C-alpha cells in the first residue's frame, strides 16, 4: 500500500510540539501531586527501612518514579493496576538481570534485548507497565547480576508503592484497584451501541489503550447523552417536520379526505384555506367518531358498513350526516412555530395527548407537520442523523 508521506507529515508533525489537553480541574491536580509525594515518600521510607543491610545496590530504583505517575495520576489505567505494577516491574527487572549475566561484555546488545524481552514478558503475563522497560534497562546500566536485586528493591518498592496507592486513592474517592465492572444489562432499543459493538471496535483498533474498557464504555455513553441533550436543544421543528404536508380544505368531501389518508398512510390532515392558512385538523378519530364507532363497538363488518355510510355522498341538496371535512374537523388546533426547539415538544406529546402538531410560519400559514413518530425517531438516534418515520 502506497503511503503519502507528505500528507502524513503534514497531519502528524504538529502533534510533536502541541501539548495534549487535560480535562481536569485544580482540585484534581492538587490531589495527584499530593498523592504522588505522599505515596512515594512512604514507599521510599519503608523501602529504606526494610532494605537488606549492607546491600551493594540502592534501596530505591528510578523506574518507581514513573510508576508513581501512573498510580496517582491515572489510577483507572490498565497500565497502573497493582498486577501490572508489581509483576511488570519484577519480571522486567529479572529479565534485565538475565541479560546482564548472559551478555556481560556486550552492554548495548544486552540493553536492547532486556527492554524488548521485558515487553514480551509483560504482554505474556498481561502486566504491561511502561516503567517495567526502564527497570529492565536499569539492570543493564548498573550491571546488576545478583538475582536478589529483583526482590529488593524492585519488587519491594513496587509492593509498597501499590499499598500507598490503594490507601490514598481510596481515601480521595478514586477506585483503585480499578476492577472492571461487569457488562450492563442488554441495552434498550434507544441505545445506539451495545457491549458487543464496543468489543468489535476495540478488536479492529488493535492497540493498547490507556483506558479501562468499562470506563471507555461509560465515556462513550456519557458523550452520547451530552450530544443528545445539546442536539435536542439545537434542533428546531423545521429540522424534523415534513414540509408542505398533504392538506385538505373546508369543502373537501369526506370520501376524498379519507382516500387521501389511506393512500399516503397518514392519520391526520391539516385543513387550510386557499392561502394555506390553518383553519383546523381532521384525524382518523374524527371519522370514527362521526361514524358512530367510538360508542357502538361492532365487528369488522359493522365498522366497514358505518364508515361506508359516512363516506358515501348523499344525493340531493339535503343530508342528515356530515358531507365535507369542515363538518367533522377539530377547529381548536395546537400549533407550534417552525423555530421552536424540539425539546419543548416532549411534554406536548407525552402529557398533552397530542399525536400530530401542525407547524406554522408567519401569518399562520401551514409550513409542515410533526408527529409523535418524528419525535421518537429523534430520541432514538442521539448520535445519528435524524431519520423521519411517518405514522
Amino acid at each position: 500500500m502506497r503511503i503519502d508521506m507528505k500528507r502524513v507529515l503534514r497531519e502528524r508533525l504538529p502533534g510533536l510540539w502541541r501539548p495534549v489537553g487535560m480535562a481536569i480541574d485544580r482540585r484534581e491536580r492538587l490531589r495527584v501531586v499530593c498523592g504522588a509525594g505522599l505515596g512515594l515518600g512512604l514507599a521510599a521510607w519503608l523501602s529504606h527501612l526494610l532494605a537488606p543491610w549492607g546491600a551493594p545496590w540502592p534501596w530505591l530504583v528510578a523506574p518507581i518514579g514513573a510508576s508513581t505517575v501512573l498510580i496517582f495520576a491515572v489510577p483507572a489505567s490498565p497500565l497502573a493496576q497493582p498486577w501490572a505494577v508489581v509483576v511488570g516491574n519484577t519480571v522486567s527487572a529479572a529479565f534485565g538481570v538475565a541479560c546482564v549475566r548472559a551478555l556481560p561484555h556486550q552492554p548495548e546488545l544486552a540493553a536492547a534485548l532486556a527492554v524488548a524481552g521485558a515487553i514480551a514478558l509483560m504482554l505474556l503475563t498481561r502486566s504491561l507497565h511502561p516503567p517495567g522497560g526502564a527497570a529492565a534497562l536499569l539492570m543493564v546500566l548498573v550491571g546488576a547480576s545478583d538475582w536478589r536485586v529483583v526482590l529488593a528493591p524492585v519488587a519491594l518498592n513496587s509492593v509498597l508503592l501499590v499499598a500507598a496507592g490503594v490507601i490514598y486513592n481510596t481515601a480521595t474517592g478514586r477506585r483503585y484497584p480499578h476492577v472492571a465492572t461487569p457488562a450492563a444489562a442488554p441495552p434498550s432499543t434507544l441505545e445506539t451501541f451495545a457491549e458487543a459493538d464496543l468489543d468489535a471496535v476495540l478488536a479492529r483498533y488493535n492497540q493498547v489503550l490507556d483506558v479501562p474498557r468499562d470506563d471507555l464504555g461509560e465515556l462513550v455513553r456519557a458523550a452520547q447523552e451530552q450530544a443528545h441533550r445539546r442536539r435536542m436543544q439545537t434542533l428546531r421543528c423545521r429540522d424534523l417536520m415534513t414540509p408542505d404536508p398533504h392538506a385538505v380544505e373546508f369543502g373537501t368531501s369526506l370520501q376524498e379526505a379519507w382516500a387521501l389518508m389511506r393512500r399516503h398512510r397518514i392519520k391526520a390532515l391539516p385543513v387550510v384555506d386557499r392561502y394555506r392558512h390553518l383553519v383546523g385538523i381532521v384525524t382518523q378519530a374524527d371519522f370514527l367518531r362521526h361514524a358512530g364507532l367510538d360508542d357502538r363497538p361492532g365487528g369488522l363488518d359493522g365498522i366497514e358498513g358505518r364508515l361506508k355510510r359516512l363516506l358515501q355522498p348523499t344525493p340531493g341538496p339535503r343530508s342528515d350526516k356530515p358531507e365535507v371535512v369542515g363538518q367533522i374537523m377539530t377547529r381548536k388546533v395546537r400549533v407550534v412555530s417552525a423555530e421552536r426547539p424540539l425539546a419543548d415538544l416532549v411534554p406536548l406529546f407525552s402529557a398533552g395527548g397530542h399525536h400530530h402538531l401542525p407547524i406554522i410560519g408567519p401569518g399562520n400559514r401551514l409550513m409542515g407537520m410533526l408527529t409523535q413518530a418524528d419525535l421518537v425517531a429523534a430520541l432514538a438516534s442521539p448520535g445519528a442523523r435524524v431519520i423521519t418515520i411517518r405514522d
Side-chain angles (χ1 to χ4, degrees), residues 17-30:
W17 59 79
R18 183 180 302 160
V20 178
M22 296 184 181
I24 58 175
D25 57 19
R26 292 182 180 179
R27 182 176 180 179
E28 175 62 12
R29 296 183 189 209
L30 181 62

Side-chain angles (χ1 to χ4, degrees), residues 55-241:
W57 49 79
W59 44 269
L60 189 67
V61 292
I64 293 300
S67 298
T68 302
V69 176
L70 290 171
I71 291 175
F72 294 94
V74 282
S77 169
L79 308 179
Q81 299 312 299
W83 175 266
V85 176
V86 176
V87 177
N89 282 336
T90 303
V91 299
S92 298
F95 194 79
V97 172
C99 290
V100 171
R101 295 171 69 93
L103 301 166
H105 305 298
Q106 295 177 286
E108 298 86 355
L109 180 59
L113 288 177
V115 175
I119 295 174
L121 281 176
M122 287 188 287
L123 290 174
L124 183 63
T125 57
R126 302 177 71 176
S127 60
L128 189 63
H129 185 60
L137 182 60
L138 180 64
M139 299 300 104
V140 176
L141 294 179
V142 301
S145 59
D146 192 329
W147 292 108
R148 290 178 296 174
V149 73
V150 176
L151 296 178
V154 177
L156 179 62
N157 290 168
S158 302
V159 170
L160 292 174
L161 186 66
V162 163
V166 171
I167 295 172
Y168 183 80
N169 282 313
T170 302
T172 56
R174 296 294 180 270
R175 188 154 51 106
Y176 186 80
H178 190 97
V179 181
T181 56
S188 69
T189 55
L190 295 182
E191 286 193 14
T192 57
F193 83 97
E195 297 295 331
D197 299 324
L198 182 60
D199 291 336
V201 171
L202 290 175
R204 287 201 304 269
Y205 187 69
N206 196 29
Q207 294 185 37
V208 176
L209 286 177
D210 198 14
V211 180
R213 180 192 173 283
D214 56 332
D215 277 6
L216 184 60
E218 290 302 318
L219 287 172
V220 172
R221 290 188 181 90
Q224 284 185 328
E225 291 176 3
Q226 176 63 29
H228 181 46
R229 286 193 294 268
R230 174 186 52 77
R231 184 165 166 270
M232 290 298 289
Q233 289 296 332
T234 56
L235 274 178
R236 298 292 184 263
C237 291
R238 55 177 164 76
D239 300 321
L240 204 63
M241 71 181 186

